[in-house]
């Protein structure tokens, strides 16, 4: 046992996140945790498990389902939810399309990324959630670098970057009026490398597609996209078999894989520590639209 | 084991703050190629001659359009020894509240001065805010040393001037580093241009500065955040008090007292999902179980019988006012959030306003406007369990919330109990 009372950076980050999660459970009526089956939301769910042990997590989890899923991720999601005994709510983009709430984009670069906002806000409204935990990190993107841990959203789910509440010490202000809600980002201060180091140190299980595997892919916009039931390569796009892994897991039509031979968590940590590209720059077509793509989407109510 | 160090910087475009941060991030490989390319493209599009590293942090549309930093940006980098979180804040007086926000959690403040200009109003203000927020370590970076030909006498002159100013403040640890952020001298490695300088490079100092003893490890303070009651067969009668240790070292077997009830008990165990702990200290998030079944809820405070915080409803504090729409007036009623306790507060008196540039006390103004700092006495509807901010930054701080708009309008640092109303 240490006599200097020092904690590693991962333990400090863990403690800060648990503090935030408990604070929300204590002060909000109906929180929900947004769970995609991606590594960040898996770590967030693990922290929620720690925050309330030996009791169960006192709120449900919600998956914003674009309908374009990696099967390994859905299987993982269902297994984890069953282990923890938490309730799963699925807010479906397909349902929103079928109900005529949104119109599917068309063309070779069509994506359901933006449509998720409607499904998310509908889900929050339908279940009257007043706090929604998201796994976003500030190191991911420059608009996120400016967002609070408690991010206030108005009746339309909008983020107003110029009108954010000051956030000091570990004192969080979650007060809101009926119909408004707060997005909560307990992983704000974690980096991609922290997440991977934590997964390694804690032996956190994650979907297999995060580790190197062989996959049929084709190149589009400088990314390796997987051939699957939702995504057909164009006539000029040659399909090849590559050893790849995913750095992020999102909609299967816009999330790129990276060439990698990292098949263990230690190898992934080493690879992430050495990489010279951000995970969003390397693997997400959704952030490439404009320089302020994330800020603009967040203003509309996005994650 | 890699430790976490949070530091705050404040400054404007001219003093080289963004260049210095850019240099730290770039040299520690925390800037990625795609980020740098994006910044290069934007710099070019904006007609800038050099790559404008400020664009790495000024991420909002309004900031990029106006070429200014508006809000606190958090940036991250790591060396094998430490992980760093930078709270990068704008330096202008109209953004004092943003600086206060960034400073509230910082272990170290980085203040920049231009070697040619020496101390200016802004550098004094930054140093004052760092001392007000009780940031334990302050580094004064004397930048643009290349433009004064690495003149040792100039560096010593600025040091002396700053020391004489800092004597009026309460700064525990003060370090001076001569740098050229643009050329990288003394930023990551010691520069051959300053053979007379015997200290560390800035990064080396950030890696080595001793922060473990900055926390209060003496006064046990455990604000109860959440009561854990599993209600299942395996943990039928389980009752645990979850929270974040705010001070001291807690151990099983320690006698404790719970406020406000005053009931005494003993710590039975300190638990986490990963197993029981032999001791817990700040900032660990744990669950404490006691040997006795007593009624404890959120907002209560667990401490040692012979070392208790002040318990009271009359509080004397320094407040930074943050509301754009209205000023703080005597008789105002606000919500106060202190540790895990929320109450209402009545402003009894605005004693004086402090000029953040001159430290001059302006009595009799009776109010505080946006970004102003002053001494205020409050009365709360319920007792709070508090310490002086200088003794404990967690149990000594609070925020004020406007009841109508729900926004955070004030940040408070407790000086002590105020005289109760006569």
């Amino acid at each position: 046992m240490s006599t200097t009372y020092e904690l590693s950076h991962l333990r400090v980050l863990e403690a800060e996140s648990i503090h935030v999660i408990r604070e929300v459970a204590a002060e909000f009526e109906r929180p929900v945790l947004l769970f995609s089956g991606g590594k960040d939301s898996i770590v967030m769910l693990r922290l929620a498990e720690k925050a309330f042990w030996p009791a169960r997590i006192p709120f449900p989890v919600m998956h914003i389902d674009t309908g374009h899923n990696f099967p390994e991720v859905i299987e993982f999601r269902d297994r984890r939810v069953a282990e923890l005994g938490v309730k799963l709510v699925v807010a479906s983009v397909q349902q929103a399309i079928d109900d005529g709430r949104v119109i599917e984009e068309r063309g070779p670069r069509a994506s359901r990324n933006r449509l998720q906002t409607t499904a998310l806000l509908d889900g929050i409204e339908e279940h009257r959630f007043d706090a929604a935990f998201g796994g976003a990190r500030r190191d991911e993107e420059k608009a996120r670098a400016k967002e609070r841990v408690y991010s206030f959203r108005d009746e339309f789910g909008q983020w107003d970057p110029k009108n954010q509440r000051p956030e000091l010490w570990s004192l969080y202000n979650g007060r809101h009026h009926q119909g408004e809600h707060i997005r909560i980002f307990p992983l704000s201060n974690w980096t991609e490398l922290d997440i991977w180091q934590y997964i390694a140190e804690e032996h956190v299980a994650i979907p297999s597609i995060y580790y190197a595997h062989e996959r049929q892919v084709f190149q589009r916009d400088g990314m390796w996209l997987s051939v699957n039931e939702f995504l057909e390569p164009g006539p000029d796009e040659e399909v090849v078999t590559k050893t790849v892994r995913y750095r992020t897991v999102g909609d299967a039509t816009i999330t790129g894989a990276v060439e990698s031979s990292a098949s263990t968590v230690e190898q992934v940590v080493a690879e992430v520590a050495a990489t010279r590209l951000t995970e969003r720059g390397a693997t997400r077509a959704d952030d490439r639209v404009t320089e302020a793509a994330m800020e603009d989407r967040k203003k509309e109510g996005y994650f | 084991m890699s430790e976490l160090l949070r530091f705050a910087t404040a400054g404007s475009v001219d003093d080289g703050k963004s260049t210095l941060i850019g240099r730290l991030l770039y040299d520690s490989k925390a800037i990625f190629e795609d980020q740098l390319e994006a910044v290069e493209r934007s710099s070019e599009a904006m007609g800038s001659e050099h790559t404008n590293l400020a664009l790495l942090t000024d991420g909002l549309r309004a900031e990029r359009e106006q070429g200014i930093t508006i809000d606190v940006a958090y940036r991250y980098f790591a060396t094998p020894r430490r992980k760093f979180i930078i709270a990068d804040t704008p330096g202008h007086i109209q953004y004092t509240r943003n600086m206060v926000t960034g400073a509230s959690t910082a272990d170290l403040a980085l203040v920049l001065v231009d070697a040619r200009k020496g101390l200016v109003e802004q550098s004094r203000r930054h140093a004052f805010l760092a001392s007000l927020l009780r940031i334990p370590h302050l580094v004064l970076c004397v930048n643009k040393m290349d433009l004064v030909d690495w003149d040792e006498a100039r560096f010593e002159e600025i040091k002396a001037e700053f020391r004489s100013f800092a004597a009026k403040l309460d700064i525990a640890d003060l370090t001076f580093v001569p740098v050229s952020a643009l050329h990288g001298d003394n930023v990551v490695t010691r520069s051959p241009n300053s053979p007379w300088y015997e200290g560390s490079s800035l990064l080396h100092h950030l890696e080595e500065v001793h922060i473990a003893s900055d926390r209060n490890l003496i006064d046990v303070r455990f604000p109860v955040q959440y009561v854990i009651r599993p209600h299942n067969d395996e943990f039928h009668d389980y009752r645990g008090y979850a929270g974040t240790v705010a001070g001291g070292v807690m151990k099983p077997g320690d006698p404790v007292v719970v406020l406000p009830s005053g009931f005494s008990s003993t710590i039975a165990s300190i638990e986490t999902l990963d197993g029981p702990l032999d001791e817990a200290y700040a900032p660990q998030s744990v669950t404490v179980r006691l040997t006795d079944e007593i009624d404890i809820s959120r907002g209560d405070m667990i401490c040692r019988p012979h070392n208790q915080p002040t318990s009271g409803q009359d509080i004397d504090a320094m407040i930074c006012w943050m509301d754009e729409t209205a000023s703080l007036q005597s008789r105002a009623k606000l919500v106060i959030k202190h540790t895990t306790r929320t109450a209402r507060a009545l402003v009894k008196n605005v004693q004086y306003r402090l000029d953040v540039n001159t430290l001059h006390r302006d009595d009799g103004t009776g109010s505080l406007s946006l970004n102003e700092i002053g001494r205020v006495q409050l009365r709360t509807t319920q007792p709070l369990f508090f310490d002086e901010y200088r003794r404990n930054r967690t149990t000594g701080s609070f925020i004020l919330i406007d009841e109508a708009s729900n926004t955070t309008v004030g940040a408070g640092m407790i000086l002590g109990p105020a005289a109760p109303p006569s």
Side-chain angles (χ1 to χ4, degrees):
Chain A
M1 186 55 62
S2 108
T3 50
T4 53
Y5 305 111
E6 283 175 42
L7 294 172
S8 74
H9 79 277
L10 287 179
R11 295 301 139 195
V12 174
L13 292 173
E14 177 188 65
E16 177 181 276
S17 302
I18 289 174
H19 177 85
V20 169
I21 293 168
R22 285 173 172 165
E23 200 63 14
V24 170
E27 292 207 312
F28 287 82
E29 297 281 325
R30 299 172 70 86
V32 66
L33 184 144
L34 300 174
F35 184 62
S36 65
K39 66 183 188 314
D40 299 318
S41 65
I42 289 169
V43 166
M44 181 166 65
L45 191 59
R46 171 74 176 159
L47 294 165
E49 184 185 8
K50 288 194 176 197
F52 304 105
W53 178 90
R56 279 187 185 170
I57 296 171
F59 40 76
V61 302
M62 179 159 74
H63 180 212
I64 309 306
D65 181 0
T66 65
H68 296 157
N69 296 305
F70 293 96
E72 298 90 338
V73 176
I74 293 299
E75 186 194 309
F76 181 91
R77 175 197 79 184
D78 293 340
R79 191 170 67 232
R80 190 74 183 115
V81 161
E83 273 168 15
L84 293 170
V86 291
K87 186 182 160 207
L88 171 70
V89 175
V90 177
S92 159
V93 173
Q94 187 62 54
Q95 192 65 46
I97 293 169
D98 295 347
D99 293 348
R101 300 268 300 127
V102 290
I103 294 167
E104 176 111 70
E105 288 179 17
R106 293 183 193 284
R109 299 290 188 277
S111 117
R112 290 182 167 182
N113 181 277
R114 250 191 148 88
L115 309 186
Q116 291 182 97
T117 300
T118 304
L120 169 63
L121 295 177
D122 285 355
I124 287 172
E125 199 170 306
E126 183 191 336
H127 298 275
R128 292 182 292 115
F129 292 129
D130 54 1
F133 290 101
R137 311 184 318 263
R138 286 181 179 143
D139 79 319
E140 271 180 274
E141 206 282 330
K142 52 194 180 298
R144 288 193 159 154
K146 300 261 168 170
E147 193 168 10
R148 304 290 184 259
V149 174
Y150 273 39
S151 180
F152 174 81
R153 304 301 173 102
D154 66 12
E155 301 99 310
F156 302 97
Q158 300 180 103
W159 177 55
D160 180 359
K162 286 189 194 168
N163 193 21
Q164 300 194 79
R165 295 174 177 178
E167 199 161 75
L168 299 106
W169 298 290
S170 49
L171 294 168
Y172 299 98
N173 173 4
R175 293 172 73 95
H176 59 279
H177 293 112
Q178 189 82 34
E180 300 166 341
H181 71 277
I182 313 268
R183 299 283 171 82
I184 314 282
F185 299 111
L187 304 180
S188 287
N189 286 325
W190 296 58
T191 62
E192 183 188 16
L193 184 58
D194 297 329
I195 294 285
W196 278 108
Q197 287 173 338
Y198 191 76
I199 288 169
E201 206 172 290
E202 292 271 310
H203 307 291
V204 178
I206 51 170
S208 57
I209 64 170
Y210 278 112
Y211 298 115
H213 57 284
E214 281 201 347
R215 185 175 282 267
Q216 287 210 297
V217 291
F218 62 93
Q219 203 157 35
R220 179 180 288 175
D221 301 335
M223 294 188 304
W224 291 109
L225 293 179
S226 174
V227 178
N228 56 44
E229 56 182 306
F230 318 111
L231 190 61
E232 287 289 318
D236 303 332
E237 293 172 324
E238 188 195 350
V239 175
V240 289
T241 302
K242 290 264 178 198
T243 303
V244 297
R245 67 175 198 86
Y246 283 88
R247 277 179 77 182
T248 66
V249 167
D251 184 302
T253 62
I254 53 167
T255 304
V258 291
E259 284 190 72
S260 168
S261 58
S263 55
T264 66
V265 68
E266 288 75 20
Q267 288 167 354
V268 173
V269 169
E271 190 182 279
V272 170
T275 184
R276 301 304 307 131
L277 285 178
T278 63
E279 59 180 18
R280 288 201 160 255
T283 67
R284 293 299 267 270
D286 37 332
D287 292 327
R288 296 184 169 192
V289 186
T290 71
E291 197 150 41
M294 178 67 87
E295 181 180 348
D296 293 344
R297 279 179 296 154
K298 285 180 100 63
K299 284 176 179 167
E300 292 169 4
Y302 189 72
F303 297 104
Chain B
M1 185 185 76
S2 138
E3 272 183 314
L4 182 66
L5 180 108
R6 298 174 204 252
F7 68 96
T9 60
S12 56
V13 184
D14 307 335
D15 56 26
K17 179 197 64 164
S18 299
T19 314
L20 182 68
I21 291 178
R23 173 65 63 180
L24 281 171
L25 296 176
Y26 189 76
D27 288 350
S28 63
K29 298 195 169 31
I31 295 179
F32 295 90
E33 281 167 19
D34 52 321
Q35 288 175 318
L36 198 63
E37 277 166 22
V39 165
E40 280 167 359
R41 272 198 310 275
S42 307
S43 304
E44 226 177 87
M46 292 166 83
S48 169
E49 211 171 294
H50 301 285
T51 301
N52 182 0
L53 290 173
L55 294 173
L56 279 169
T57 48
D58 294 343
L60 299 176
R61 200 180 270 283
E63 292 178 319
R64 300 167 89 84
E65 281 164 8
Q66 298 170 45
I68 52 165
T69 308
I70 295 172
D71 210 335
V72 186
Y74 293 92
R75 298 284 318 187
Y76 305 84
F77 72 102
T79 66
R81 182 140 163 66
R82 273 187 180 159
K83 169 186 162 119
F84 299 94
I85 301 180
I86 313 176
D88 183 15
T89 65
H92 195 268
I93 190 157
Q94 75 188 84
Y95 301 115
T96 298
R97 64 171 175 168
N98 308 73
M99 278 180 268
V100 167
T101 300
S104 70
T105 51
D107 303 303
L108 181 146
L110 201 65
V111 176
L112 262 99
V113 299
D114 184 324
R116 296 168 304 174
K117 295 179 193 160
L119 289 194
V120 294
E121 188 179 274
Q122 184 165 288
S123 20
R124 291 193 184 88
R125 186 170 66 246
H126 296 164
F128 165 66
L129 292 175
S131 91
L132 181 74
L133 272 292
R134 307 293 308 175
I135 302 181
H137 309 274
L138 191 145
V139 178
L140 190 82
C141 274
V142 181
N143 191 24
K144 308 195 186 180
M145 282 298 293
D146 52 313
L147 300 181
V148 296
D149 297 324
W150 290 95
D151 180 8
E152 182 184 6
R154 180 65 186 138
F155 178 66
E156 290 300 328
E157 191 183 351
I158 292 171
K159 261 173 79 170
E161 192 187 352
F162 190 82
R163 273 195 201 286
S164 94
F165 170 72
K168 288 189 265 182
L169 306 174
D170 205 353
I171 297 170
D173 172 37
L174 183 57
T175 305
F176 299 89
V177 187
V179 301
S180 165
L182 190 63
H183 302 291
D185 298 270
N186 291 329
V187 176
V188 172
T189 50
R190 291 262 308 264
S191 169
N193 288 323
S194 54
W196 43 265
Y197 172 66
E198 290 176 348
S200 314
S201 70
L202 174 63
L203 183 64
H204 188 73
H205 180 70
L206 294 174
E207 285 185 304
E208 296 296 326
V209 61
H210 183 67
I211 54 169
S213 47
D214 294 341
R215 286 162 305 161
N216 183 321
L217 295 168
I218 297 163
D219 313 315
V220 170
R221 301 287 183 263
F222 188 75
V224 175
Q225 193 181 13
Y226 189 89
V227 180
I228 292 179
R229 304 214 55 182
H231 298 296
N232 62 27
D233 292 341
E234 195 185 345
F235 296 96
H236 192 70
D237 294 319
Y238 188 99
R239 198 182 170 96
Y241 308 105
T244 304
V245 183
V249 179
M250 304 174 80
K251 294 189 177 81
D254 282 351
V256 292
V257 63
V258 183
L259 300 176
S261 68
F263 287 132
S264 297
S265 188
T266 303
I267 296 178
S269 58
I270 301 171
E271 302 186 351
T272 71
L273 182 149
D274 303 306
L277 299 179
D278 295 334
E279 54 190 5
Y281 45 90
Q284 285 182 301
S285 284
V286 297
T287 299
V288 171
R289 299 186 72 196
L290 302 180
T291 51
D292 303 274
E293 285 232 353
I294 45 184
D295 181 23
I296 299 177
S297 51
R298 174 176 166 85
D300 290 0
M301 173 80 83
I302 296 175
C303 54
R304 299 296 299 269
H306 300 295
N307 180 343
Q308 299 189 16
T310 306
S311 174
Q313 290 171 259
D314 292 285
I315 293 167
D316 185 14
M318 296 300 293
I319 286 178
C320 175
W321 191 246
M322 302 181 154
D323 192 7
E324 281 161 353
T325 55
S327 58
L328 176 73
Q329 307 277 354
S330 280
R331 310 304 300 168
K333 291 194 180 88
L334 297 153
V335 173
I336 183 168
K337 194 167 179 193
H338 171 260
T339 67
T340 56
R341 214 166 166 81
T342 302
R344 296 178 73 215
L346 170 69
V347 178
K348 301 286 286 185
N349 180 34
V350 180
Q351 190 180 337
Y352 60 78
R353 184 173 62 198
L354 204 59
D355 184 314
V356 293
N357 294 321
T358 63
L359 309 187
H360 178 75
R361 291 174 183 184
D362 192 358
D363 293 325
T365 55
S367 69
L368 293 178
S369 305
L370 175 65
N371 291 313
E372 290 185 339
I373 293 167
R375 186 166 178 178
V376 172
Q377 286 84 43
L378 303 168
R379 179 162 176 89
T380 59
T381 49
Q382 305 167 27
L384 303 182
F385 315 115
F386 60 86
D387 295 286
E388 285 174 44
Y389 183 73
R390 52 175 298 140
R391 185 140 182 106
N392 189 317
R393 288 169 90 186
T394 306
T395 55
S397 57
F398 60 82
I399 55 170
L400 297 170
I401 299 166
D402 182 273
E403 285 182 291
S405 68
N406 286 332
T407 56
T408 304
V409 290
M413 288 139 281
I414 297 173
L415 297 166
S422 46

